[in-house]
């Protein structure tokens, strides 16, 4: 299944469902739903996939915002994501953990929301406070945008992430 994982993780923007369909043909029953969900979760986190809900809210899927497997925090909400269907299963209001970096997070989020609204029509940005490998709190800034136009044979994704250390509240 290493090969199946490699194929899926290498899927170009907008093509992951086609790659998954082809990999299912090649690997058959060995690519069960549990394995596929795990691979697609990794793909979504690696590519900072943005998933829209039916009410128009968005979640940027990333390790920094992951609360539990398939559950992510974004803009004051907790989202449960089905990685196989690429849909939000449920959404509820949630409070982030209190942190001395919250003023920095809120300010950065406000500015990023303005930037994304003016620059990325299909984009989304989120700022999380997470712990670095040294245990220090880090401000994680993530932006993802996608533009798909398969009829003209091009798809593109732009992602960026910054991890700001050493902020003194």
């Amino acid at each position: 299944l290493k090969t199946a994982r490699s194929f899926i993780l290498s899927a170009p923007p907008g093509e992951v469902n086609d790659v998954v369909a082809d990999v299912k043909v090649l690997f058959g029953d060995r690519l069960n739903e549990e394995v596929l969900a795990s691979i697609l979760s990794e793909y979504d986190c690696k590519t900072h996939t943005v998933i829209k809900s039916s009410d128009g809210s968005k979640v940027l899927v990333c390790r920094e915002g992951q609360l539990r497997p398939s559950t992510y925090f974004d803009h004051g909400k907790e989202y449960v994501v089905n990685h196989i269907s690429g849909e939000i299963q449920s959404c509820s209001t949630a409070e982030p953990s209190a942190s001395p970096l919250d003023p920095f997070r809120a300010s950065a989020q406000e500015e990023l929301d303005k930037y994304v609204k003016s620059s990325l029509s299909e984009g989304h940005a989120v700022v999380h406070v997470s712990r670095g490998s040294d245990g220090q709190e880090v401000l994680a800034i993530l932006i993802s945008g996608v533009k798909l136009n398969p009829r003209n044979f091009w798809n593109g994704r732009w992602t960026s992430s910054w991890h700001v250390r050493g902020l003194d509240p």
Side-chain angles (χ1 to χ4, degrees), residues 8-84:
I8 293 170
L9 293 179
S10 299
E15 305 286 333
V16 72
N17 291 335
D18 295 329
V19 172
V20 166
D22 292 341
V23 168
K24 281 181 177 179
V25 169
L26 293 171
F27 290 90
D29 292 339
R30 289 184 292 165
L31 192 66
N32 61 40
E33 284 211 11
E34 183 180 333
V35 171
L36 183 58
S38 173
I39 295 169
L40 288 172
S41 172
E42 185 178 354
Y43 174 85
D44 288 344
C45 285
K46 174 185 164 197
T47 62
H48 297 155
T49 299
V50 176
I51 300 175
K52 290 183 197 176
S53 69
S54 58
D55 70 358
S57 61
K58 299 176 184 179
V59 59
L60 192 150
V61 178
C62 59
R63 294 282 176 230
E64 293 84 352
Q66 189 170 30
L67 302 173
R68 293 175 297 285
S70 299
T71 304
Y72 303 88
F73 181 80
D74 192 331
H75 283 75
K77 293 182 180 177
E78 186 176 304
Y79 296 90
V80 177
V81 172
N82 180 329
H83 293 283
I84 294 174

Side-chain angles (χ1 to χ4, degrees), residues 117-163:
K117 186 175 182 179
S118 69
S119 301
L120 299 170
S121 61
E122 292 297 319
H124 189 62
V126 67
V127 182
H128 293 291
V129 176
S130 61
R131 294 242 177 242
S133 57
D134 58 0
Q136 181 184 11
E137 285 194 326
V138 176
L139 203 61
I141 302 167
L142 302 111
I143 303 173
S144 183
V146 66
K147 190 77 169 174
L148 305 175
N149 194 344
R151 285 188 176 162
N152 289 321
F153 303 103
W154 65 265
N155 291 326
R157 175 185 296 119
W158 180 70
T159 61
S160 54
S161 63
W162 295 274
H163 292 83

